[in-house]
Amino acid sequence: MAMSAPSTRRPDAVAAPSTAAGAPPAAVTGAPSATARRRLVVDWRVSWAVLALIWGFSFLFIKVGTEAYAPLQVALGRMAFGTAVLAAAFALKRERLPRGARAWGHMAVAALLLNTVPFTLFAYAELTIPSTLAGICNATTPLWSMVLSVVALSDDKPTRQRVAGVGIGFVGVLTVLGAWQGFSGTDPAGTAMALGASASYAVGWIYVRRTLSGSGNSALSMSSAQLLLGTAQLAVLTPLFTSVPASFPLWPTLSVVALGALGTGIAFLLQYGIVAEKGPTIATMVTYLIPVIATAAGVALLNERLTWNEPVGALVVLAGAALTQRRPAG
């Protein structure tokens, strides 16, 4: 789900904090004590681990949620509960919403690309593919970003290393899908939707970098506005294609609540804190643990079947993604 800095990726994306990414924590007077420094390191590690767990489990939450609710309803619930968490934080910090029709127009597009489309596609995908495969597909976002940046971002030119990363990642995807055996055992439509969701994250981040970077608004302000717009988009679409649920089973309902409140709301606040304290590079590293946790959760808790090519292919995808994110020294 996408991350705060434009170069990062995550299962549930929010607006990039253009003014806060990489910013230092609040100023203090004098050098911090050794105890304070130790406490800060522990706090960062705990937040990072919790963030990885939340995003890794998001694919399990989607799978359980779709057992009782339509994919659009899962996406809407995810957005609504995530928006509620950010709205509470927004009110406590006494932030102000961005101003200007132009900014709101750009954020509406960002919400469509980073929230409405990928959240819905992942929910539809998990009707026919396991949560483990969806989590692995999510890891392809950096690969899509690299391919798209060639034509969309003139200041993000590809290098041989990064092009090689795309090639390696593509081999990893083919390995995950078992290309040598005719992609048997995987649903083509569901897999395409999961890969499409990851591509939508990549398109969304490019759009954010080109239109909202340096806007002067805080990360919390932009993200709250973006989630609000995404919730409104899904609130309009969902009644057109679904009917009101006849019942609200406990576990699917709790899964949707957790998906939104934890996977979209709390996760962003944790991520924002990590970016502010340790910088976007450290925050980006959580991406590489998400498919591992998603796979472990799917196998252990949902009894999903795992073949050798999926974890091996996932490792190849992550290796390729890591190469695309490395920049030449100098």
Side-chain angles (χ1 to χ4, degrees):
M1 305 201 155
M3 305 281 290
S4 287
S7 62
T8 59
R9 307 288 179 265
R10 75 171 167 83
D12 48 332
V14 289
S18 55
T19 60
V28 293
T29 57
S33 65
T35 301
R37 288 196 299 269
R38 192 179 304 114
R39 185 169 60 250
L40 286 173
V41 171
V42 171
D43 289 343
W44 161 71
R45 288 175 177 173
V46 170
S47 297
W48 192 90
V50 171
L51 184 61
L53 283 171
I54 289 174
W55 280 340
F57 269 84
S58 291
F59 298 96
L60 180 147
F61 294 147
I62 294 172
K63 190 71 172 180
V64 176
T66 55
E67 292 177 358
Y69 301 109
L72 277 169
Q73 293 169 345
V74 172
L76 175 59
R78 178 180 189 174
M79 289 293 293
F81 288 109
T83 300
V85 171
L86 287 192
F90 184 87
L92 287 173
K93 291 180 175 291
R94 298 182 178 180
E95 293 270 359
R96 291 184 177 181
L97 288 172
R99 297 181 179 180
R102 183 180 180 85
W104 280 88
H106 287 315
M107 285 186 292
V109 176
L112 182 69
L113 295 172
L114 291 172
N115 302 112
T116 301
V117 170
F119 289 3
T120 301
L121 285 178
F122 269 125
Y124 271 106
E126 292 199 40
L127 290 176
T128 56
I129 67 172
S131 65
T132 54
L133 180 55
I136 293 171
C137 288
N138 181 77
T140 65
T141 298
L143 306 179
W144 291 112
S145 295
M146 179 61 218
V147 172
L148 293 169
S149 68
V150 173
V151 296
L153 290 176
S154 59
D155 62 340
D156 198 20
K157 296 180 180 179
T159 62
R160 290 183 179 179
Q161 175 180 281
R162 300 177 77 186
V163 171
V166 173
I168 292 172
F170 180 69
V171 171
V173 172
L174 294 179
T175 303
V176 169
L177 300 180
W180 64 92
Q181 54 188 5
F183 304 103
S184 61
T186 61
D187 177 66
T191 303
M193 284 188 282
L195 292 172
S198 300
S200 184
Y201 284 143
V203 175
W205 278 120
I206 290 175
Y207 183 84
V208 165
R209 291 174 67 177
R210 293 176 67 92
T211 62
L212 293 171
S213 180
S215 67
N217 296 300
S218 73
L220 183 57
S221 173
M222 293 177 65
S223 297
S224 298
Q226 181 182 309
L227 289 189
L228 182 63
L229 289 167
T231 301
Q233 291 168 1
L234 284 165
V236 171
L237 288 173
T238 302
L240 297 178
F241 299 97
T242 67
S243 57
V244 177
S247 62
F248 298 88
L250 178 62
W251 289 115
T253 302
L254 290 178
S255 292
V256 173
V257 173
L259 182 63
L262 296 177
T264 302
I266 297 298
F268 168 75
L269 296 177
L270 288 172
Q271 178 218 24
Y272 176 70
I274 294 170
V275 171
E277 185 174 320
K278 303 299 294 185
T281 301
I282 294 296
T284 306
M285 293 174 64
V286 76
T287 302
Y288 304 108
L289 197 55
I290 292 173
V292 177
I293 295 174
T295 298
V299 172
L301 299 178
L302 298 179
N303 296 318
E304 293 180 343
R305 180 172 172 269
L306 187 68
T307 56
W308 69 267
N309 56 294
E310 291 175 326
V312 170
L315 290 176
V316 176
V317 168
L318 292 176
L323 281 176
T324 67
Q325 298 305 293
R326 292 185 60 185
R327 296 180 181 276

Short mmCIF file of all heavy atoms in Angstrom, two decimals, residues 122-153:
data_model
loop_
_atom_site.label_atom_id
_atom_site.label_comp_id
_atom_site.label_asym_id
_atom_site.label_seq_id
_atom_site.Cartn_x
_atom_site.Cartn_y
_atom_site.Cartn_z
N PHE A 122 -8.41 -4.35 -5.85
CA PHE A 122 -7.91 -5.40 -4.95
C PHE A 122 -9.07 -6.20 -4.35
O PHE A 122 -8.98 -7.42 -4.21
CB PHE A 122 -7.04 -4.80 -3.85
CG PHE A 122 -5.58 -4.72 -4.18
CD1 PHE A 122 -4.90 -3.51 -4.09
CD2 PHE A 122 -4.88 -5.85 -4.59
CE1 PHE A 122 -3.55 -3.43 -4.41
CE2 PHE A 122 -3.53 -5.78 -4.91
CZ PHE A 122 -2.86 -4.56 -4.81
N ALA A 123 -10.14 -5.51 -4.00
CA ALA A 123 -11.30 -6.21 -3.43
C ALA A 123 -11.92 -7.15 -4.46
O ALA A 123 -12.28 -8.30 -4.14
CB ALA A 123 -12.33 -5.21 -2.93
N TYR A 124 -12.07 -6.69 -5.70
CA TYR A 124 -12.60 -7.55 -6.76
C TYR A 124 -11.63 -8.71 -7.04
O TYR A 124 -12.05 -9.85 -7.27
CB TYR A 124 -12.84 -6.76 -8.04
CG TYR A 124 -14.21 -6.14 -8.12
CD1 TYR A 124 -14.40 -4.77 -7.95
CD2 TYR A 124 -15.33 -6.93 -8.36
CE1 TYR A 124 -15.67 -4.20 -8.02
CE2 TYR A 124 -16.60 -6.37 -8.45
CZ TYR A 124 -16.76 -5.01 -8.26
OH TYR A 124 -18.02 -4.45 -8.33
N ALA A 125 -10.34 -8.42 -7.05
CA ALA A 125 -9.35 -9.45 -7.36
C ALA A 125 -9.41 -10.60 -6.35
O ALA A 125 -9.32 -11.77 -6.72
CB ALA A 125 -7.95 -8.84 -7.37
N GLU A 126 -9.61 -10.26 -5.09
CA GLU A 126 -9.57 -11.30 -4.06
C GLU A 126 -10.85 -12.12 -4.00
O GLU A 126 -10.97 -13.02 -3.16
CB GLU A 126 -9.23 -10.68 -2.70
CG GLU A 126 -7.81 -10.17 -2.64
CD GLU A 126 -7.29 -9.99 -1.23
OE1 GLU A 126 -7.57 -10.84 -0.37
OE2 GLU A 126 -6.60 -8.97 -0.99
N LEU A 127 -11.79 -11.85 -4.89
CA LEU A 127 -12.92 -12.77 -5.04
C LEU A 127 -12.46 -14.07 -5.69
O LEU A 127 -13.05 -15.13 -5.48
CB LEU A 127 -14.01 -12.13 -5.90
CG LEU A 127 -14.79 -10.96 -5.29
CD1 LEU A 127 -15.76 -10.40 -6.33
CD2 LEU A 127 -15.54 -11.37 -4.03
N THR A 128 -11.39 -13.98 -6.51
CA THR A 128 -10.97 -15.15 -7.29
C THR A 128 -9.51 -15.54 -7.10
O THR A 128 -9.10 -16.60 -7.58
CB THR A 128 -11.21 -14.90 -8.79
OG1 THR A 128 -10.52 -13.71 -9.19
CG2 THR A 128 -12.71 -14.74 -9.07
N ILE A 129 -8.72 -14.72 -6.44
CA ILE A 129 -7.33 -15.10 -6.18
C ILE A 129 -7.07 -15.05 -4.69
O ILE A 129 -7.75 -14.33 -3.95
CB ILE A 129 -6.33 -14.18 -6.92
CG1 ILE A 129 -6.37 -12.75 -6.35
CG2 ILE A 129 -6.59 -14.18 -8.41
CD1 ILE A 129 -5.27 -11.85 -6.91
N PRO A 130 -6.10 -15.81 -4.20
CA PRO A 130 -5.80 -15.80 -2.75
C PRO A 130 -5.17 -14.48 -2.32
O PRO A 130 -4.58 -13.76 -3.13
CB PRO A 130 -4.84 -16.97 -2.58
CG PRO A 130 -4.25 -17.20 -3.93
CD PRO A 130 -5.29 -16.80 -4.92
N SER A 131 -5.29 -14.19 -1.03
CA SER A 131 -4.72 -12.96 -0.50
C SER A 131 -3.20 -12.95 -0.64
O SER A 131 -2.58 -11.89 -0.76
CB SER A 131 -5.11 -12.78 0.97
OG SER A 131 -4.55 -13.80 1.78
N THR A 132 -2.59 -14.15 -0.62
CA THR A 132 -1.14 -14.21 -0.78
C THR A 132 -0.71 -13.67 -2.13
O THR A 132 0.25 -12.90 -2.23
CB THR A 132 -0.65 -15.67 -0.64
OG1 THR A 132 -1.38 -16.50 -1.55
CG2 THR A 132 -0.89 -16.19 0.77
N LEU A 133 -1.42 -14.05 -3.18
CA LEU A 133 -1.08 -13.58 -4.52
C LEU A 133 -1.33 -12.08 -4.65
O LEU A 133 -0.55 -11.36 -5.28
CB LEU A 133 -1.89 -14.33 -5.57
CG LEU A 133 -1.65 -13.94 -7.04
CD1 LEU A 133 -0.17 -14.04 -7.40
CD2 LEU A 133 -2.49 -14.82 -7.98
N ALA A 134 -2.41 -11.59 -4.04
CA ALA A 134 -2.69 -10.15 -4.08
C ALA A 134 -1.57 -9.37 -3.40
O ALA A 134 -1.14 -8.31 -3.89
CB ALA A 134 -4.02 -9.87 -3.39
N GLY A 135 -1.07 -9.88 -2.27
CA GLY A 135 0.02 -9.21 -1.58
C GLY A 135 1.29 -9.18 -2.40
O GLY A 135 2.04 -8.19 -2.39
N ILE A 136 1.56 -10.26 -3.13
CA ILE A 136 2.74 -10.29 -3.99
C ILE A 136 2.58 -9.32 -5.16
O ILE A 136 3.53 -8.61 -5.52
CB ILE A 136 2.98 -11.73 -4.49
CG1 ILE A 136 3.37 -12.64 -3.31
CG2 ILE A 136 4.08 -11.75 -5.55
CD1 ILE A 136 3.43 -14.11 -3.66
N CYS A 137 1.38 -9.28 -5.75
CA CYS A 137 1.13 -8.35 -6.85
C CYS A 137 1.34 -6.90 -6.41
O CYS A 137 1.81 -6.06 -7.19
CB CYS A 137 -0.28 -8.53 -7.39
SG CYS A 137 -0.54 -10.05 -8.35
N ASN A 138 1.00 -6.61 -5.17
CA ASN A 138 1.17 -5.26 -4.65
C ASN A 138 2.63 -4.82 -4.69
O ASN A 138 2.94 -3.63 -4.84
CB ASN A 138 0.66 -5.20 -3.20
CG ASN A 138 0.78 -3.82 -2.60
OD1 ASN A 138 0.00 -2.93 -2.89
ND2 ASN A 138 1.80 -3.63 -1.76
N ALA A 139 3.54 -5.79 -4.58
CA ALA A 139 4.97 -5.47 -4.57
C ALA A 139 5.49 -5.04 -5.94
O ALA A 139 6.64 -4.61 -6.05
CB ALA A 139 5.77 -6.67 -4.08
N THR A 140 4.66 -5.13 -6.98
CA THR A 140 5.11 -4.73 -8.32
C THR A 140 4.98 -3.22 -8.56
O THR A 140 5.39 -2.74 -9.62
CB THR A 140 4.32 -5.47 -9.42
OG1 THR A 140 2.93 -5.08 -9.37
CG2 THR A 140 4.43 -6.98 -9.26
N THR A 141 4.43 -2.49 -7.61
CA THR A 141 4.23 -1.05 -7.81
C THR A 141 5.51 -0.32 -8.21
O THR A 141 5.49 0.50 -9.14
CB THR A 141 3.62 -0.42 -6.56
OG1 THR A 141 2.34 -0.99 -6.31
CG2 THR A 141 3.44 1.09 -6.74
N PRO A 142 6.66 -0.58 -7.54
CA PRO A 142 7.88 0.12 -7.98
C PRO A 142 8.27 -0.20 -9.42
O PRO A 142 8.86 0.64 -10.11
CB PRO A 142 8.95 -0.39 -6.99
CG PRO A 142 8.18 -0.83 -5.80
CD PRO A 142 6.90 -1.39 -6.33
N LEU A 143 7.95 -1.40 -9.88
CA LEU A 143 8.26 -1.75 -11.26
C LEU A 143 7.42 -0.93 -12.23
O LEU A 143 7.92 -0.41 -13.23
CB LEU A 143 8.02 -3.25 -11.49
CG LEU A 143 8.73 -4.22 -10.54
CD1 LEU A 143 8.37 -5.65 -10.88
CD2 LEU A 143 10.25 -4.01 -10.62
N TRP A 144 6.12 -0.82 -11.93
CA TRP A 144 5.24 0.02 -12.75
C TRP A 144 5.73 1.47 -12.73
O TRP A 144 5.72 2.16 -13.76
CB TRP A 144 3.81 -0.04 -12.23
CG TRP A 144 3.11 -1.35 -12.42
CD1 TRP A 144 2.72 -2.22 -11.44
CD2 TRP A 144 2.69 -1.93 -13.66
NE1 TRP A 144 2.10 -3.31 -11.99
CE2 TRP A 144 2.06 -3.16 -13.35
CE3 TRP A 144 2.78 -1.54 -14.99
CZ2 TRP A 144 1.53 -3.99 -14.32
CZ3 TRP A 144 2.25 -2.37 -15.96
CH2 TRP A 144 1.63 -3.58 -15.63
N SER A 145 6.14 1.93 -11.57
CA SER A 145 6.60 3.32 -11.45
C SER A 145 7.81 3.58 -12.34
O SER A 145 7.92 4.63 -12.97
CB SER A 145 6.95 3.63 -9.99
OG SER A 145 5.81 3.57 -9.17
N MET A 146 8.72 2.60 -12.36
CA MET A 146 9.91 2.77 -13.17
C MET A 146 9.55 2.83 -14.65
O MET A 146 10.05 3.69 -15.39
CB MET A 146 10.86 1.59 -12.91
CG MET A 146 12.14 1.62 -13.71
SD MET A 146 13.13 3.08 -13.37
CE MET A 146 13.73 3.44 -15.01
N VAL A 147 8.67 1.95 -15.10
CA VAL A 147 8.27 1.94 -16.51
C VAL A 147 7.57 3.25 -16.87
O VAL A 147 7.85 3.87 -17.91
CB VAL A 147 7.34 0.74 -16.79
CG1 VAL A 147 6.75 0.83 -18.20
CG2 VAL A 147 8.10 -0.57 -16.62
N LEU A 148 6.65 3.68 -16.03
CA LEU A 148 5.89 4.89 -16.32
C LEU A 148 6.73 6.15 -16.23
O LEU A 148 6.48 7.13 -16.94
CB LEU A 148 4.70 4.99 -15.36
CG LEU A 148 3.63 3.90 -15.53
CD1 LEU A 148 2.65 3.95 -14.37
CD2 LEU A 148 2.89 4.09 -16.85
N SER A 149 7.74 6.15 -15.35
CA SER A 149 8.55 7.35 -15.18
C SER A 149 9.35 7.68 -16.42
O SER A 149 9.75 8.83 -16.63
CB SER A 149 9.49 7.18 -13.98
OG SER A 149 10.48 6.20 -14.26
N VAL A 150 9.59 6.69 -17.25
CA VAL A 150 10.36 6.93 -18.48
C VAL A 150 9.66 7.95 -19.37
O VAL A 150 10.29 8.80 -19.99
CB VAL A 150 10.55 5.60 -19.25
CG1 VAL A 150 11.21 5.86 -20.61
CG2 VAL A 150 11.40 4.64 -18.44
N VAL A 151 8.33 7.89 -19.41
CA VAL A 151 7.59 8.80 -20.28
C VAL A 151 6.92 9.94 -19.51
O VAL A 151 6.52 10.94 -20.10
CB VAL A 151 6.50 8.03 -21.07
CG1 VAL A 151 7.15 7.03 -22.00
CG2 VAL A 151 5.54 7.32 -20.13
N ALA A 152 6.79 9.80 -18.18
CA ALA A 152 6.02 10.79 -17.43
C ALA A 152 6.86 11.75 -16.63
O ALA A 152 6.43 12.85 -16.32
CB ALA A 152 5.03 10.08 -16.50
N LEU A 153 8.07 11.35 -16.26
CA LEU A 153 8.90 12.20 -15.42
C LEU A 153 10.27 12.39 -16.06
O LEU A 153 11.12 11.51 -16.00
CB LEU A 153 9.07 11.59 -14.02
CG LEU A 153 7.83 11.57 -13.13
CD1 LEU A 153 8.15 10.84 -11.84
CD2 LEU A 153 7.37 12.98 -12.83
#
